[in-house]
Amino acid sequence: MTFGARMLKTGIAVTLALYISIWLNLSSPVMAAVAAIFAMQPSIYRSWRYFLDQLQTNTLGAVLALLAGQVFSNEPIAVGLVCILVIMICLKLKMGDTIGLTLVTVIAVMEASGQWQFALTRFSLSLIGIISAFLINILLFPPKPKQQFIGQIQNTFDRMSLLMRTAISDEIKENVFRDKKRELEDAIKSLSSKYQLFEEEQKKMKRASFSQTRLLVVYKQMLNALRKGREVLDAVEEHYFQSDREAGTDRIFDEQLERLIKFHEHILLKFEEKLKPNCLEASQLDQENTAFIQGVLSLAIEEPEGRLRLSIVGATMYDYGYQLERLNRLVEHYHKTDDDESGFWASWIKK
């Protein structure tokens, strides 16, 4: 785990919550710090959503705990039963993310055995922590999922490029290959999480612009292309070296992988507007990709027992190339601003 803005902001939010609690002369300010830790979210939308949800569930939990405390005092069984009831209500309201902090509030309020002044203090501490985290999250280094996503796309591609270019030649050490491949898988998982944040923020906006929606489609295909590339590495590792290969097969597969990874690199550069649009490049890759899979299938037909695994690897590489062609079309259309592009994007957005 690397040190990031969220870690820094969590520490600052805790500090702010403690200072406010001390300034207001509230007892047990540690509860405000706990609330600030729970409330720090990875995006501004989630921070706002968490703030609203937590306000509802904390209020409900505090009221239930106050009533239960007056009837049952702070008996352990009663505390447990109220916690179960609060969990059920949170899940029913589809606010499962708020359960942890709400239960902390419930337990703290029931500790007061029905004393409403003490319960109000505990509830106020929770609100101070939540508000502190919300304010710090939007004012200090606000999350920027778009910038983070495109930066991670490039870093993830660089990892995959190294593995692709050495997968068939078998130049890289096996232990290094496994470590780098594990890093690649973790990076793609992280990208998926970032994309979900971006998509969530985009879809919840009341008036998302058409350009933002187009960008979301491009990002989704970028992620799909990386996933397909990782599948190629999986197929090579599981099937390629276990198959019967004639002389020259390694060179054919290695050259095709080089074409694919180079095309992928060019697409990313075109997205950043560092390269000119090149329709011939995509057309040429389509022809080469088709010729490649036809050659692989003909090898498998000639000797099916020993070369079926080659066809699995070849089919995975063909699919990777197909996803790259789709990504290339999206990137080139993304930089066009003509009105006649709306029909093209409408068909993609529905997918």
Side-chain angles (χ1 to χ4, degrees):
M1 183 181 291
T2 57
F3 181 82
R6 191 177 174 187
M7 296 182 187
L8 176 63
K9 290 192 292 186
T10 301
I12 296 174
V14 168
T15 304
L16 178 62
L18 289 173
Y19 269 124
I20 294 175
S21 302
I22 294 170
W23 179 62
L24 294 175
N25 200 26
L26 298 175
S27 59
S28 303
V30 68
M31 188 170 177
V34 172
I37 294 170
F38 274 100
M40 186 57 64
Q41 297 295 308
S43 73
I44 292 177
Y45 168 76
R46 284 196 181 179
S47 291
W48 175 243
R49 186 74 261 168
Y50 187 86
F51 172 74
L52 294 179
D53 291 348
Q54 199 64 256
L55 189 62
Q56 297 175 58
T57 56
N58 254 275
T59 303
L60 181 62
V63 171
L64 290 175
L66 183 61
L67 295 175
Q70 291 177 340
V71 177
F72 302 107
S73 185
N74 56 359
E75 289 294 324
I77 293 177
V79 175
L81 289 175
V82 174
C83 286
I84 293 172
L85 178 61
V86 169
I87 292 172
M88 292 172 63
I89 293 173
C90 289
L91 293 176
K92 187 68 176 177
L93 295 174
K94 297 182 179 179
M95 298 179 182
D97 292 341
T98 66
I99 289 175
L101 183 54
T102 303
L103 292 182
V104 172
T105 302
V106 168
I107 295 170
V109 170
M110 287 199 71
E111 181 188 359
S113 302
Q115 299 176 23
W116 69 269
Q117 299 94 336
F118 188 83
L120 182 61
T121 299
R122 290 292 185 265
F123 179 67
S124 300
L125 287 167
S126 294
L127 287 183
I128 288 171
I130 296 168
I131 294 171
S132 297
F134 176 71
L135 291 176
I136 292 298
N137 203 27
I138 63 174
L139 296 176
L140 185 66
F141 308 121
K144 297 179 180 179
K146 284 197 296 185
Q147 290 85 340
Q148 293 170 351
F149 186 85
I150 196 61
Q152 274 192 260
I153 281 281
Q154 187 59 55
N155 292 335
T156 305
F157 170 77
D158 291 340
R159 286 191 176 97
M160 191 175 75
S161 175
L162 171 65
L163 295 174
M164 284 274 202
R165 287 185 159 112
T166 57
I168 300 297
S169 61
D170 203 22
E171 295 171 327
I172 193 170
K173 293 182 178 179
E174 291 183 4
N175 62 326
V176 176
F177 182 88
R178 285 193 299 268
D179 291 342
K180 293 292 183 182
K181 189 166 176 289
R182 195 177 301 113
E183 291 176 5
L184 174 64
E185 291 168 354
D186 292 341
I188 291 176
K189 287 179 183 178
S190 177
L191 268 173
S192 299
S193 300
K194 284 282 192 308
Y195 175 78
Q196 288 174 359
L197 289 176
F198 183 41
E199 183 181 42
E200 182 181 65
E201 213 168 63
Q202 186 72 41
K203 290 184 175 180
K204 297 299 181 180
M205 289 175 63
K206 293 183 179 179
R207 294 182 179 178
S209 67
F210 187 60
S211 62
Q212 291 173 325
T213 305
R214 291 191 307 168
L215 186 61
L216 187 65
V217 174
V218 175
Y219 280 174
K220 184 177 182 180
Q221 187 59 25
M222 283 183 174
L223 186 56
N224 286 340
L226 288 172
R227 286 171 176 161
K228 291 298 178 181
R230 188 208 61 205
E231 289 177 12
V232 170
L233 293 171
D234 291 339
V236 170
E237 187 177 21
E238 293 176 15
H239 299 289
Y240 186 80
F241 295 105
Q242 290 80 5
S243 63
D244 293 335
R245 308 187 304 279
E246 61 183 18
T249 301
D250 288 356
R251 179 182 57 79
I252 294 172
F253 274 78
D254 195 35
E255 288 178 352
Q256 181 62 13
L257 277 180
E258 180 64 31
R259 291 189 196 99
L260 293 172
I261 204 68
K262 185 178 179 181
F263 186 51
H264 198 161
E265 183 179 29
H266 282 193
I267 295 171
L268 295 180
L269 289 172
K270 276 193 283 187
F271 177 75
E272 296 176 5
E273 297 188 274
K274 295 179 180 178
L275 289 182
K276 298 178 181 178
N278 187 349
C279 298
L280 293 177
E281 181 187 31
S283 176
Q284 184 179 359
L285 181 75
D286 183 38
Q287 296 173 6
E288 292 171 344
N289 212 23
T290 302
F292 168 75
I293 192 62
Q294 289 174 345
V296 171
L297 292 177
S298 65
L299 286 175
I301 292 173
E302 291 174 7
E303 193 177 335
E305 291 186 5
R307 295 175 182 169
L308 279 177
R309 286 188 166 190
L310 284 179
S311 63
I312 296 174
V313 180
T316 310
M317 291 170 61
Y318 177 82
D319 192 22
Y320 174 47
Y322 173 72
Q323 296 300 327
L324 290 180
E325 291 169 32
R326 288 162 62 95
L327 177 59
N328 183 66
R329 290 200 302 274
L330 284 172
V331 168
E332 293 197 346
H333 280 273
Y334 175 73
H335 291 299
K336 294 180 181 180
T337 57
D338 297 335
D339 293 336
D340 58 0
E341 291 293 306
S342 58
F344 171 85
W345 287 102
S347 63
W348 279 88
I349 292 168
K350 292 177 182 178
K351 294 180 181 179

